[in-house]
């Protein structure tokens, strides 16, 4: 586990770049998985910065947001909650064909763009602490 809050943000940026690479290669559900991972790592960095404790070993973004008790706009909240709900199917798909059909190019591109916005917001919050 990363040993400082800044490292979490570095890894989040790397994971978002990986999401973009997966997207360009047509690996859409892996791109969504990497988006979730990028948001998770950035929230864990913020968690450490806000609460001054090492973040828990969890994939649940809603839980991390709740524990930090920080406010974001409704668009960011909605995206974080939506991507959180996609975590399980992208980690443990029941059917490869079903999950491949579930994630199309346009929707995946929108998720990546939203993730860029969320990471920008998290980095601004990070600077407040």
């Amino acid at each position: 586990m990363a040993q400082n809050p800044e490292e979490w943000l570095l890894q989040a940026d790397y994971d978002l770049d990986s999401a973009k690479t997966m997207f360009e290669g047509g690996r859409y559900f892996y791109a969504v998985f990497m988006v979730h991972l990028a948001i998770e790592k950035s929230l864990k960095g913020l968690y450490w910065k806000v609460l001054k404790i090492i973040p828990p070993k969890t994939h649940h973004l809603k839980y991390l947001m709740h524990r930090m008790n920080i406010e974001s706009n409704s668009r960011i909240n909605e995206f974080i909650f939506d991507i959180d709900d996609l975590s399980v199917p992208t980690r443990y798909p029941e059917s490869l064909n079903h999950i491949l059909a579930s994630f199309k190019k346009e929707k995946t591109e929108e998720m990546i763009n939203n993730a860029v916005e969320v990471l920008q917001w998290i980095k601004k919050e990070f600077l407040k602490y």
Side-chain angles (χ1 to χ4, degrees):
M1 189 176 275
Q3 296 300 308
N4 65 61
E6 292 78 13
E7 179 64 24
W8 286 103
L9 292 183
L10 288 173
Q11 290 185 29
D13 284 336
Y14 187 87
D15 291 342
L16 187 56
D17 285 344
S18 295
K20 292 172 184 177
T21 299
M22 289 291 157
F23 174 78
E24 290 166 8
R27 301 289 182 140
Y28 302 132
F29 92 83
Y30 281 127
V32 172
F33 173 81
M34 294 307 296
V35 163
H36 183 279
L37 193 57
I39 301 300
E40 178 184 327
K41 287 181 180 177
S42 63
L43 284 174
K44 286 181 176 181
L46 185 58
Y47 185 100
W48 195 340
K49 197 81 162 163
V50 170
L51 300 177
K52 310 292 189 233
I53 57 174
I54 295 173
K57 293 181 180 180
T58 183
H59 303 301
H60 298 287
L61 308 180
K62 294 177 224 178
Y63 173 77
L64 295 170
M65 291 289 290
H66 174 74
R67 292 278 301 155
M68 285 186 285
N69 196 28
I70 56 174
E71 293 294 323
S72 66
N73 68 43
S74 59
R75 182 175 148 80
I76 287 174
N77 267 349
E78 184 177 324
F79 176 72
I80 289 173
F81 282 37
D82 287 348
I83 197 74
D84 200 28
D85 290 340
L86 293 174
S87 174
V88 173
T90 60
R91 286 179 192 277
Y92 313 105
E94 291 182 24
S95 160
L96 180 61
N97 288 332
H98 176 73
I99 199 158
L100 289 173
S102 298
F103 295 98
K104 300 294 183 193
K105 182 177 182 177
E106 296 77 22
K107 181 65 176 168
T108 304
E109 185 172 31
E110 179 184 331
M111 294 176 118
I112 290 171
N113 292 335
N114 287 338
V116 168
E117 181 183 342
V118 170
L119 283 175
Q120 289 171 346
W121 171 76
I122 290 170
K123 288 174 182 178
K124 285 179 186 172
E125 288 297 309
F126 196 86
L127 295 174
K128 293 179 182 178
Y129 296 91

